[in-house]
């Protein structure tokens, strides 16, 4: 990289509460365009909570509240003037378990974000479907069965279908919540390989329990522990010479 | 809506003492007896109607209206047509209102009105059918006279709580992760509900509607003073209409053999239809 890409997402003093419980404490982070950023830490450390704050999924959790600022391209996504629905089109999400829409075909799943909001142009939808499925490294496997039910695909294929579905609306950021934890090693490897391609078109924030995965795929790593972000830095540095002894203890497998 | 576990024969495992083996046999026998007592009325009714009614179920039965008192060769075309048309209209009411209620209860569990609506829906389910008939009587008949529409309205009201309950339950079975996937895609909640969650629950909702139809198809009481009955075939929902339960009532209380036979054939047809609907509903819910 000759020149540092601009910051696309900036969290500033973010606190997240569930009722009175402060699940994430004063987290400040910058993610740069076109990077893969891993959030690691033991269960219950707040990494998924933080991830879900980035596309306002907490809006649907009773009692959840976010304080501080999360700037997407300089604009606070929690600003009262921001429409959460259109904001979520800019921040895609892939979940822990593959969750294709059960009644839809492979094709309809991929273009759901466009088709359900009124895009009718067949040629355009086909073009988007092909581009997204190629982007998710699934095209060759499903090109002959675009009209078959999505639930007929294997788990790994379904997860890549979910990635394709998220890519179809051209998100600026793609959030991934332990995207390979429900998959076998071969499917996991495919998705990890995919990430280096995906960061050419989007920015990835991935929550993972698997430290080897974080080390393999990410450019930056943030280590969370009981709601605090202990350390954030370039992945190599976090794994080889962490500044905080708690980070070192975790990445060397002494707890967690 | 899945069937209960297949009952296995109560067979005592080897190595039991004779006393316990005896106890096991006696208890198994008692349970079998209780089951037979539960099923017996259905079987007796069905075979009685089959024996008495099948003779009257000829071509005339399906193509003619009841003959004048004391004459033979009539049928129940008026009642069949009226029942079919009123049930179709009732389904429209029951499905529109019932599914909307189910969506509200399942998708907006934190809405302040939710507990009230849930309670009212449960109360509605307990209201006697004849009272529903009175409601339709007050709403429609007093102003416009007896009509098939008034009957359909009463039947539709009866369907609502059943459809509300079943659609709420099957909507809740759609995984939260599917809703989240839609929302994370930047789709508004109403679109996620209508285009993603509702289709995923469609099979179960259809099952609920069919069970509700089977439940109200045999109602005579709410039709007595709404649809009123009609000796001829009437397809105009603004006029009085006949229905199978009404003809069964009239035929069964008639002094003429011919009318009684028609009533029994009508009852047989009704039970068969309800039986088939229930079977179809089961098939539907199992296929999903």
């Amino acid at each position: 990289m000759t020149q540092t890409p601009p910051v696309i997402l900036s969290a500033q003093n973010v606190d997240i509460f569930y009722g009175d419980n402060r699940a994430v404490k004063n987290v400040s982070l910058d993610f740069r365009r076109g990077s893969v950023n891993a959030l690691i830490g033991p269960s219950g450390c707040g990494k998924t909570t933080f991830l879900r704050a980035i596309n306002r999924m907490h809006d649907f959790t009773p009692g959840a509240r976010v304080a501080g600022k999360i700037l997407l391209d300089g604009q606070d996504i929690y600003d009262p003037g921001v429409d959460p629905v259109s904001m979520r089109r800019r921040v895609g999400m892939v979940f822990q378990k593959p969750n294709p829409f059960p009644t839809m075909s492979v094709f309809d799943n991929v273009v759901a974000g466009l088709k359900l909001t009124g895009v009718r142009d067949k040629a355009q939808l086909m073009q988007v479907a092909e581009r997204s499925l190629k982007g998710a490294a699934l095209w060759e496997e499903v090109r002959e069965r675009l009209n078959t039910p999505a639930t007929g695909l294997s788990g790994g294929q379904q997860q890549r279908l979910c990635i394709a579905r998220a890519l179809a609306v051209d998100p600026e950021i793609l959030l991934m919540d332990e995207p390979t934890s429900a998959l076998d090693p071969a499917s996991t490897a495919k998705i990890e390989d995919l990430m280096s391609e995906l960061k050419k078109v989007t920015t990835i924030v991935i929550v993972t329990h698997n430290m080897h995965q974080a080390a393999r795929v990410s450019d930056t790593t943030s280590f969370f522990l009981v709601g605090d972000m202990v350390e954030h830095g370039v992945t190599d540095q976090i794994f080889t010479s962490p500044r905080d002894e708690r980070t070192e203890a975790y990445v060397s497998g002494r707890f967690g | 809506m899945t069937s209960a576990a297949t009952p296995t024969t109560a067979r005592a495992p080897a190595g039991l003492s004779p006393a316990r083996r005896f106890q096991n046999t006696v208890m198994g026998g008692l349970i079998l007896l209780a089951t037979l007592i539960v099923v017996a009325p259905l079987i007796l009714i069905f075979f009685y109607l089959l024996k008495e009614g099948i003779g009257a179920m000829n071509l005339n039965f399906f193509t003619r209206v009841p003959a004048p008192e004391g004459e033979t060769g009539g049928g129940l075309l008026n009642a069949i047509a009226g029942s079919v048309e009123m049930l179709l209209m009732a389904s429209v009411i029951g499905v529109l209102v019932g599914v909307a209620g189910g969506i509200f209860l399942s998708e907006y569990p934190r809405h302040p009105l939710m507990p009230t609506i849930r309670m009212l829906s449960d109360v509605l389910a307990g209201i006697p059918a004849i009272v529903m008939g009175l409601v339709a009587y007050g709403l429609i008949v007093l102003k416009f006279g007896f009509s098939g529409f008034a009957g359909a309205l009463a039947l539709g009201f009866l369907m609502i709580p059943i459809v509300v309950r079943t659609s709420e339950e099957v909507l809740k079975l759609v995984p939260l992760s599917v809703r989240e996937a839609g929302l994370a895609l930047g789709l508004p909640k109403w679109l996620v509900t209508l285009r993603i969650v509702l289709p995923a629950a469609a099979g179960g909702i259809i099952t609920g509607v069919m069970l509700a139809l089977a439940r109200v198809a045999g109602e005579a009481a709410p039709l007595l003073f709404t649809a009123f009955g009609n000796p001829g075939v009437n397809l105009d929902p603004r006029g009085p209409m006949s229905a199978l339960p009404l003809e069964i009532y009239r035929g069964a209380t008639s002094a003429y053999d011919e009318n009684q036979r028609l009533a029994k054939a009508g009852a047989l047809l009704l039970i068969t239809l309800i039986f088939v609907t229930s079977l179809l509903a089961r098939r539907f819910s199992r296929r999903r």
Side-chain angles (χ1 to χ4, degrees):
Chain A
M1 255 181 241
T2 45
Q3 139 192 24
T4 326
V7 170
I8 182 162
L9 189 92
S10 174
Q12 300 178 354
N13 309 104
V14 170
D15 285 294
I16 304 170
F17 300 86
Y18 292 121
D20 294 330
N21 174 25
R22 191 167 166 224
V24 169
K25 301 164 194 162
N26 197 26
V27 170
S28 297
L29 282 174
D30 282 346
F31 297 137
R32 293 186 180 279
R33 191 179 287 279
S35 59
V36 176
N37 307 277
L39 309 179
I40 61 170
S43 295
C45 67
K47 55 193 192 304
T48 294
T49 299
F50 179 73
L51 188 82
R52 292 169 66 91
I54 302 177
N55 68 346
R56 291 188 63 168
M57 289 305 274
H58 290 306
D59 290 12
F60 306 103
T61 314
R65 189 163 56 82
V66 178
K69 283 184 176 175
I70 297 181
L71 305 180
L72 175 61
D73 258 342
Q75 192 192 17
D76 185 2
I77 62 168
Y78 283 91
D79 189 277
V82 169
D83 168 27
V85 171
S86 48
M87 188 279 294
R88 283 188 204 107
R89 313 205 93 197
R90 300 170 59 194
V91 185
M93 189 157 184
V94 176
F95 296 81
Q96 200 167 345
K97 281 193 187 137
N99 52 2
F101 299 137
T103 51
M104 293 186 196
S105 66
V106 171
F107 177 82
D108 283 343
N109 257 280
V110 179
V111 298
L114 300 172
K115 209 172 169 183
L116 295 185
T117 52
V119 178
R120 295 258 183 277
D121 182 348
K122 282 250 168 63
Q124 186 196 346
L125 291 176
M126 193 58 221
Q127 199 187 344
V128 170
E130 183 173 344
R131 172 177 58 82
S132 310
L133 285 167
K134 280 180 174 162
L138 190 59
W139 175 250
E140 291 306 325
E141 291 161 61
V142 301
R143 59 185 303 175
E144 303 297 333
R145 48 202 282 210
L146 289 177
N147 291 316
T148 61
T151 43
L153 301 180
S154 74
Q157 288 173 327
Q158 287 188 15
Q159 191 63 306
R160 277 178 286 146
L161 179 67
C162 293
I163 294 175
R165 180 176 66 189
L167 290 178
V169 291
D170 280 321
E172 290 163 63
I173 295 182
L174 186 60
L175 307 176
M176 303 178 114
D177 184 5
E178 297 181 44
T180 61
S181 64
L183 304 182
D184 63 74
S187 306
T188 300
K190 271 188 185 154
I191 287 181
E192 288 184 6
D193 290 344
L194 185 58
M195 281 190 223
S196 54
E197 291 299 313
L198 289 178
K199 68 181 192 177
K200 291 175 187 163
V201 293
T202 185
T203 306
I204 295 174
V205 183
I206 175 172
V207 163
T208 177
H209 265 296
N210 180 337
M211 279 180 287
H212 300 291
Q213 183 171 65
R216 279 193 299 265
V217 302
S218 69
D219 301 307
T220 78
T221 297
S222 316
F223 173 56
F224 282 69
L225 193 61
V226 285
D228 287 307
M229 193 196 62
V230 175
E231 192 166 351
H232 168 67
V234 174
T235 298
D236 281 346
Q237 175 253 312
I238 294 279
F239 281 92
T240 55
S241 52
R243 277 186 286 268
D244 194 292
E245 58 185 27
R246 289 170 294 171
T247 314
E248 194 191 350
Y250 185 72
V251 299
S252 58
R254 266 180 279 148
F255 77 92
Chain B
M1 213 68 42
T2 45
S3 56
T6 335
T8 47
T9 324
R11 187 173 295 145
L16 280 189
S17 70
R20 285 191 57 187
R21 194 176 289 273
F22 173 73
Q23 208 177 5
N24 186 64
T25 313
V26 170
M27 287 304 167
L30 284 177
I31 291 171
L32 191 66
L33 188 69
T35 313
L36 284 179
I37 292 174
V38 169
V39 191
L42 175 67
I43 296 173
L44 290 177
I45 291 171
F46 190 73
F47 279 102
Y48 175 76
L49 289 176
L50 204 60
K51 181 167 132 305
E52 299 282 320
I54 197 82
M57 247 196 198
N58 46 30
L59 189 64
N60 283 351
F61 177 78
F62 292 101
T63 54
R64 294 208 184 157
V65 297
E69 299 269 291
E71 289 179 31
T72 56
L76 286 184
L77 179 62
N78 58 339
I80 296 170
S83 268
V84 167
E85 188 172 333
M86 282 196 281
L87 288 172
L88 284 178
M89 285 192 285
S91 302
V92 173
I93 298 165
V95 169
L96 285 181
V97 183
V99 173
I103 288 176
F104 178 76
L105 293 182
S106 132
E107 306 301 304
Y108 298 89
R110 302 200 309 278
H111 193 283
L113 281 178
M114 203 290 271
T116 319
I117 304 274
R118 151 83 49 72
M119 198 196 73
L120 289 180
S121 165
D122 286 350
V123 171
L124 197 65
I127 288 184
I130 195 158
V131 177
M132 270 329 171
L134 279 177
V135 172
Y137 182 82
L139 284 175
I140 309 278
V141 179
L142 283 181
K143 245 183 224 152
F144 304 102
F146 298 116
S147 67
F149 179 73
L153 194 68
L155 297 182
F157 284 158
L158 285 171
M159 287 178 74
I160 288 172
I162 308 174
V163 178
V164 167
R165 190 27 76 88
T166 43
S167 50
E168 179 196 357
E169 264 156 32
V170 292
L171 284 167
K172 277 185 175 161
L173 287 179
V174 178
L176 182 67
S177 67
V178 169
R179 294 178 176 83
E180 286 193 325
L183 295 168
L185 217 46
L187 300 172
K189 179 161 180 168
W190 65 269
L191 210 50
V192 172
T193 304
L194 288 185
R195 300 294 300 276
I196 295 168
V197 180
L198 200 57
I205 292 176
I206 292 174
T207 304
V209 171
M210 288 176 125
L211 291 175
L213 268 177
R215 157 84 173 67
V216 302
E219 288 290 352
L223 299 180
L224 285 173
F225 36 82
T226 50
F228 190 69
N230 193 329
V233 175
N234 168 36
L235 297 178
D236 180 354
R238 290 167 302 178
M241 226 180 238
S242 189
L244 279 170
L246 288 178
E247 286 302 335
I248 293 169
Y249 171 67
R250 262 154 226 179
T253 52
S254 158
Y256 293 92
D257 273 0
E258 159 82 0
N259 294 28
Q260 291 201 1
R261 280 199 309 121
L262 270 188
K264 282 164 189 159
L268 180 63
L269 175 66
L270 196 54
I271 285 201
T272 310
L273 285 180
I274 292 170
F275 188 59
V276 169
T277 312
S278 302
L279 277 185
L280 282 178
R282 254 163 190 277
R283 177 60 71 76
F284 235 103
S285 62
R286 202 171 298 165
R287 215 182 40 173
R288 289 190 319 125

